[in-house]
């Protein structure tokens, strides 16, 4: 083709595109319910990637890196050099790593001071945090371990945000350990503590769907429990049946040379059935749990001096052995009960290979293991992927409240709202606010006096044509959740505004280094640490105000 013909062809194509840009509907052409064709206007094409987006900001890396020297002073010097090593990255393997429509996006700088977001208080002022702050200044309370429970959605998985908060508070007020750990984790995450299960362990949750095999609502503080035997749905007794004998306690010499618990058959297994036939021996199940602190975590989280096991709702005595490798530290039996019980074990030093072995015909429901120091502060990370925070009223009040009080919980942090955003609109957002407010009132009723902090959702982006923009309902949801917290005498921390407000998430995603994942919803470890630091600063600022007034 001659140069003149080539030039004419290019001009003709550009003219055709210009005509399309002029006549193509601004709202696009709907092809199907989930597919709409868009074409840029002449103005959008001309401005291209240079156009200025409303709102948003970049983030100063120093806010993330500032505490790395402090972390390196712990016994995890080799483990905590990089912020990315502190917490695992959530699995985003299915998310595209490049989007051609945002290749020219340029995050804008902003000063650190403008990113600070205070902890908003209700009419009672600092009184809403009195229970927590009084406990932090009371040696008698610290001697019992002051506990903060951090509930949240997938934003806090792998100990994100909670891990930094735990590190800072334990550094200031003492304490150690990763906090409350389940018998069986939902996903293959190693932070704050990896749990290796052997045996037929199954996990039962109150969310997102209740297992029909469970005929009660006793799930405990973790909103889930685990068993290593099938569920027996019959009315349990609070005392052992007369036909049962306690399982043998293995002596130390015999147990040290044995890899498994002795199999003991209950006496009722040899009695006759009502129709005068011999009864079949009960099947005895064996199982074990090995707890491995996350090697890249903060050093204080790796030190465990006291373990409390919350269990119950079983009909047969169960044997348990607490091991350090192959060395038996404790051997005990778990008597049947229909509510829950607590076993406590103290350690002079953290077991190198911390393991528990179980044997029995009917497994207890294990509601969690608190792994703490002998005093100070504990912070629990309870990540409920897919949850919107509306589960608490579905759980047995006496059971949940009793466990929270036994754990000496002084503060509950609720970090929810993000999962509800895609399905909310102006017609149902108020109903969601009221539903979440009812959860706050429920927790206050079953755990009187507890301080509650509600953390609102982060900025979240949805792609509209060739731009990532904040979900339309999110600013209104943020306002309503703040209203719900303050109306119910709770503190509120506005994570949306802490990030910078409207259209902020793209700045975090495309920052160098990135601070959020390319799903435009979740923080990465660097971003989570940054958010955690801002929240800690907001909390400790209010604590200092409270102390100055005493």
């Amino acid at each position: 083709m001659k140069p003149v013909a080539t030039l004419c062809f290019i001009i003709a194509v550009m003219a055709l595109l210009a005509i399309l840009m002029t006549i193509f509907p601004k709202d696009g052409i709907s092809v199907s319910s989930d597919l709409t064709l868009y074409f840029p206007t002449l103005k959008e094409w001309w401005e291209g990637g240079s156009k200025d987006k409303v709102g948003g900001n970049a983030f100063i890396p120093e806010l993330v890196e500032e505490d790395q020297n402090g972390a390196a002073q712990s016994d995890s010097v080799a483990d905590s050099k990089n912020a990315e090593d502190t917490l695992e990255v959530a699995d985003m393997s299915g998310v595209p790593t490049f989007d051609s429509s945002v290749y020219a996006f340029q995050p804008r700088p902003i000063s650190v001071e403008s990113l600070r977001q205070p902890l908003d208080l209700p009419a009672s002022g600092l009184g809403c945090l009195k229970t927590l702050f009084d406990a932090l200044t009371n040696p008698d309370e610290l001697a019992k371990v002051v506990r903060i429970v951090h509930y949240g959605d997938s934003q806090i998985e792998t100990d994100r945000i909670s891990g930094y908060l735990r590190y800072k508070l334990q550094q200031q007020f003492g304490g150690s350990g990763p906090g409350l750990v389940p018998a069986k984790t939902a996903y293959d995450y190693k932070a704050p503590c990896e749990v290796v299960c052997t045996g037929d362990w199954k996990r039962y949750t109150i969310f997102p769907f209740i297992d029909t095999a469970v005929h009660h609502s006793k799930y405990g503080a973790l909103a889930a429990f685990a068993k290593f035997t099938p569920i027996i749905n019959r009315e349990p007794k609070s005392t052992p049946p007369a036909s049962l004998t306690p399982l043998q306690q293995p002596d130390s010499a015999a147990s040290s040379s044995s890899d498994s618990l002795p199999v003991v058959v209950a006496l009722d297994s040899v009695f006759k059935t009502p129709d005068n036939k011999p009864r079949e021996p009960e099947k005895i199940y064996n199982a074990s749990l090995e707890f491995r602190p996350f090697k890249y975590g903060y050093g204080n989280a790796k030190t465990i001096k006291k373990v409390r096991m919350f269990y119950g709702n079983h009909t047969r005595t169960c044997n348990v052995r607490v091991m350090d490798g192959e060395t038996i530290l404790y051997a005990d039996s778990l008597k049947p009960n229909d509510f829950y019980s607590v076993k406590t074990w103290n350690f002079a030093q953290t077991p190198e290979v911390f393991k528990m072995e179980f044997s029995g015909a009917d497994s207890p429901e294990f509601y969690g293991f608190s792994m703490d120091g002998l005093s100070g502060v504990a912070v629990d990370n309870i990540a409920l992927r897919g949850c919107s925070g509306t589960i608490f009223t579905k759980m047995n009040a006496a059971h949940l409240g009793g466990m929270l009080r036994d754990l000496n919980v002084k503060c509950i942090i609720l970090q929810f709202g993000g999962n509800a955003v895609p399905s909310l609109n102006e017609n149902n957002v108020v109903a969601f606010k009221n539903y979440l407010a009812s959860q706050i009132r429920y927790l206050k009723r079953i755990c009187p006096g507890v301080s509650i902090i509600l953390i609102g959702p982060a900025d979240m982006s949805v792609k509209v044509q060739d731009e990532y923009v904040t979900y339309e309902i999110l600013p209104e949801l943020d306002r309503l959740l703040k209203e719900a917290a303050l109306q119910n005498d709770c503190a509120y921390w506005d994570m949306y505004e802490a990030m910078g407000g409207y259209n902020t998430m793209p700045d975090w995603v495309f920052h160098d280094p990135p601070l959020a994942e390319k799903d435009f919803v979740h923080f990465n470890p660097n971003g989570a640490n940054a958010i955690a630091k801002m929240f800690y600063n907001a909390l400790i600022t209010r604590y200092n105000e409270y102390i100055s007034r005493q």
Side-chain angles (χ1 to χ4, degrees):
M1 184 180 290
K2 295 181 180 181
V4 174
T6 302
L7 178 62
C8 291
F9 176 76
I10 293 174
I11 292 174
V13 170
M14 294 182 66
L16 179 61
L17 291 174
I19 293 172
L20 283 174
M21 291 179 185
T22 303
I23 66 174
F24 207 88
K26 185 177 181 181
D27 295 330
I29 298 176
S30 179
V31 178
S32 65
S33 59
D34 56 355
L35 177 62
T36 302
L37 297 179
Y38 292 99
F39 210 80
T41 64
L42 278 171
K43 181 180 180 182
E44 291 171 340
W45 172 78
W46 183 257
E47 291 177 346
S50 63
K51 61 186 175 182
D52 185 28
K53 294 177 172 57
V54 179
N57 57 69
F59 198 77
I60 303 300
E62 286 78 2
L63 191 60
V64 183
E65 299 166 357
E66 182 176 325
D67 285 288
Q68 290 307 305
N69 291 334
Q73 292 174 3
S74 70
D75 66 357
S76 57
V77 175
D79 302 331
S80 302
K81 293 289 186 181
N82 303 310
E84 189 163 333
D85 287 335
T86 304
L87 297 170
E88 278 196 340
V89 182
D91 180 13
M92 298 297 172
S93 56
V95 178
T97 57
F98 180 76
D99 188 334
S100 60
S101 66
V102 291
Y103 73 95
F105 188 91
Q106 295 295 323
R108 287 144 301 161
I110 193 169
S111 68
V112 173
E113 288 302 312
S114 64
L115 287 168
R116 293 182 60 183
Q117 179 67 23
L119 200 59
D120 293 312
L121 302 175
S124 64
L126 292 170
C128 71
L129 298 171
K130 176 179 172 60
T131 297
L132 172 63
F133 292 163
D134 282 349
L136 293 177
T137 57
N138 187 333
D140 293 334
E141 288 291 346
L142 289 171
K144 295 185 290 186
V145 180
V146 171
R147 185 170 299 275
I148 298 172
V149 180
H150 185 188
Y151 288 102
D153 50 30
S154 53
Q155 281 284 26
I156 70 170
E157 281 182 347
T158 69
D159 213 26
R160 287 178 295 180
I161 303 178
S162 312
Y164 181 88
L165 181 63
R166 181 188 307 113
Y167 162 68
K168 294 295 289 185
L169 291 175
Q170 289 181 345
Q171 190 180 52
Q172 181 166 354
F173 300 102
S176 63
L180 199 59
V181 176
K184 183 175 176 62
T185 55
Y187 306 99
D188 189 23
Y189 290 147
K190 296 177 173 60
C193 181
E194 181 183 10
V195 184
V196 179
C197 304
T198 59
D200 193 19
W201 288 93
K202 286 185 171 57
R203 182 172 178 267
Y204 303 89
T205 68
I206 193 74
F207 71 96
F209 305 107
I210 299 175
D211 195 307
T212 55
V214 181
H215 293 177
H216 63 74
S217 59
K218 295 177 285 191
Y219 288 84
L222 289 172
F225 65 83
K227 288 174 66 79
F228 61 84
T229 67
I231 287 182
I232 300 176
N233 278 311
R234 56 190 176 194
E235 190 65 29
K237 300 178 181 179
S238 58
T239 57
S243 58
L244 289 178
T245 59
L247 294 180
Q248 296 173 359
Q249 288 294 328
D251 60 73
S252 57
S255 300
S256 297
S257 61
S258 175
D259 293 331
S260 62
L261 291 172
V263 177
V264 180
V265 181
L267 290 181
D268 64 349
S269 65
V270 296
F271 286 177
K272 293 183 178 181
T273 62
D275 57 1
N276 206 33
K277 293 181 180 180
R279 180 170 297 173
E280 291 293 329
E282 289 186 303
K283 180 179 179 180
I284 301 299
Y285 295 82
N286 295 298
S288 69
L289 300 172
E290 183 178 335
F291 300 92
R292 301 173 181 174
F294 185 43
K295 67 177 182 178
Y296 295 118
Y298 294 108
N300 50 293
K302 303 175 188 178
T303 302
I304 300 169
K305 294 296 183 67
K306 178 166 64 174
V307 173
R308 303 180 74 200
M309 180 174 70
F310 293 80
Y311 68 97
N313 205 30
H314 59 301
T315 61
R316 297 288 187 272
T317 299
C318 176
N319 254 7
V320 58
R321 294 196 304 190
V322 182
M323 320 277 288
D324 184 356
E326 297 302 316
T327 304
I328 299 176
L329 303 178
Y330 296 96
D332 213 334
S333 59
L334 312 178
K335 304 300 182 183
N337 73 77
D338 58 4
F339 196 60
Y340 80 82
S341 297
V342 184
K343 284 286 185 185
T344 302
W345 299 285
N346 293 333
F347 305 100
Q349 59 184 18
T350 304
E352 291 186 12
V353 182
F354 182 38
K355 185 177 180 180
M356 289 186 176
E357 292 184 345
F358 303 93
S359 180
D362 181 22
S363 165
E365 295 174 352
F366 292 95
Y367 306 110
F369 300 81
S370 65
M371 300 187 175
D372 309 315
L374 296 176
S375 61
V377 176
V379 178
D380 302 327
N381 172 272
I382 305 179
L384 309 174
R385 180 188 291 192
C387 181
S388 295
T390 57
I391 61 170
F392 300 102
T393 52
K394 300 175 185 177
M395 291 192 279
N396 184 285
H399 194 269
L400 175 59
M403 187 169 172
L404 292 174
R405 293 191 297 273
D406 278 340
L407 284 165
N408 199 34
V409 173
K410 299 300 181 183
C411 177
I412 297 174
I413 300 173
L414 302 174
Q415 185 175 330
F416 292 108
N419 283 316
V421 168
S423 61
L424 290 179
N425 53 55
E426 60 182 11
N427 297 319
N428 60 14
V429 66
V430 174
F432 175 76
K433 169 237 178 176
N434 293 335
Y435 198 8
L436 196 59
S438 71
Q439 308 300 308
I440 294 174
R441 291 191 293 270
Y442 184 75
L443 289 171
K444 281 179 167 288
R445 179 168 65 84
I446 66 174
C447 194
V450 68
S451 299
I452 297 180
I453 301 172
L454 180 61
I455 298 179
D459 185 36
M460 299 167 55
S461 300
V462 60
K463 194 173 183 182
V464 177
Q465 298 186 27
D466 66 338
E467 291 186 80
Y468 284 93
V469 298
T470 295
Y471 276 89
E472 184 178 0
I473 199 65
L474 205 156
E476 176 66 3
L477 173 64
D478 181 53
R479 183 189 70 80
L480 288 172
L481 292 185
K482 178 178 177 180
E483 185 178 278
L486 302 188
Q487 287 176 347
N488 288 280
D489 199 35
C490 297
Y492 185 76
W493 195 64
D494 197 330
M495 185 162 56
Y496 170 72
E497 289 297 336
M499 289 179 66
Y502 189 75
N503 276 0
T504 299
M505 183 55 81
D507 294 305
W508 286 57
V509 171
F510 296 109
H511 191 273
D512 185 17
L515 297 168
E517 303 289 353
K518 285 191 170 63
D519 63 353
F520 291 81
V521 172
H522 295 91
F523 301 115
N524 65 15
N526 283 347
N529 277 5
I531 283 291
K533 177 171 184 179
M534 287 195 286
F535 174 70
Y536 170 79
N537 287 342
L539 178 64
I540 211 67
T541 297
R542 293 301 191 189
Y543 171 79
N544 290 334
E545 290 178 17
Y546 184 83
I547 295 303
S548 67
R549 299 179 184 182
Q550 300 304 300

